[in-house]
Amino acid sequence: MRGAAGPEPAATPAHLVLVDVASRPPADPGPPRLVRFADLVRQPLDRGRGSVRDVWTSTDVDRRIRWRLQVVELRDAAGLIAAPDDMNHAIVGFAGPQVAVRAGGNELNGPRRILHRDEVLTVREASVRLSRPRLRASGSSSMILLSYSTSEDPPTLSFEQPDAAHDPADGLRITLALRGPIRRGEGEVPQGAALVSAPLAVPPRYR
């Protein structure tokens, strides 16, 4: 897992890129897919006031989760996200008031770390406790959450500038527009959306 520090000039805000290079069976190339966060179904946090929205989930041949990419919003002083025992997490600061992160379901378990915008924190526990040290009267704290099985090599997370050149990925690539729209060929990825693409179509069992 790797993450780069925040955006450079405001005119060229960074965007977040996930690349999963797990091998897949040969398939015909598939068109990129645009996923708008606002269109995703909101699910409640395991504890606390807020929501979780699934952007993409990858499973193995036995339908077990390899990794899951989600948008998390915390609207309370504290919240909890629980996952199966074999899952760890990478959390990316997105927007809103700063959030403190602890590993495990017990609020006294482990040191508290502050999640800054455009920063990646790794949590090596199945449960993640979130809190806002200075709760504001309104608004939510938004995060990108990558949960991954410890028995698999996780996808990489990195920040790139919109005009950065990159080599084609061998597997799935998800580009998240967090700071502003991103130009891609003749189209545009609007802020608050993700572009899912791969040189090979992704078979249903890997989604």
Side-chain angles (χ1 to χ4, degrees):
M1 196 73 55
R2 62 178 184 269
E8 295 177 1
T12 56
H15 55 267
L16 185 67
V17 176
L18 176 149
V19 176
D20 180 14
V21 294
S23 60
R24 294 179 170 82
D28 295 329
R33 174 180 171 183
L34 184 66
V35 179
R36 298 176 187 271
F37 300 162
D39 296 337
L40 300 174
V41 176
R42 294 177 183 267
Q43 306 170 64
L45 298 176
D46 293 291
R47 192 180 305 161
R49 192 162 58 96
S51 64
V52 177
R53 289 176 280 181
D54 292 345
V55 177
W56 197 265
T57 300
S58 175
T59 59
D60 62 19
V61 293
D62 296 318
R63 304 301 299 172
R64 292 174 299 203
I65 295 176
R66 296 179 57 245
W67 57 263
R68 174 180 287 155
L69 187 67
Q70 299 173 304
V71 179
V72 176
E73 291 183 338
L74 177 64
R75 300 187 62 85
D76 212 342
L80 179 71
I81 298 171
D85 290 342
D86 67 333
M87 303 293 278
N88 284 180
H89 311 274
I91 310 175
V92 182
F94 180 5
Q98 286 185 348
V99 171
V101 176
R102 289 184 190 270
N106 187 332
E107 63 180 303
L108 301 178
N109 184 34
R112 186 183 73 174
R113 295 180 291 169
I114 300 298
L115 178 66
H116 299 283
R117 182 179 292 185
D118 296 339
E119 179 184 25
V120 182
L121 289 182
T122 300
V123 176
R124 304 192 188 282
E125 293 282 351
S127 297
V128 181
R129 180 173 291 276
L130 307 170
S131 62
R132 298 203 281 188
R134 296 181 179 177
L135 182 63
R136 297 182 181 180
S138 61
S140 62
S141 298
S142 300
M143 295 147 276
I144 301 297
L145 178 70
L146 171 64
S147 304
Y148 57 92
S149 171
T150 55
S151 63
E152 301 274 352
D153 290 331
T156 60
L157 283 176
S158 60
F159 287 98
E160 293 182 359
Q161 298 300 321
D163 56 354
H166 57 80
D167 296 327
D170 293 330
L172 184 71
R173 179 184 179 93
I174 301 179
T175 304
L176 300 98
L178 305 183
R179 296 285 164 263
I182 303 170
R183 297 289 301 177
R184 279 291 179 266
E186 298 180 356
E188 182 179 270
V189 183
Q191 181 175 346
L195 183 68
V196 182
S197 58
L200 300 179
V202 183
R205 69 189 190 201
Y206 288 102
R207 292 177 182 171

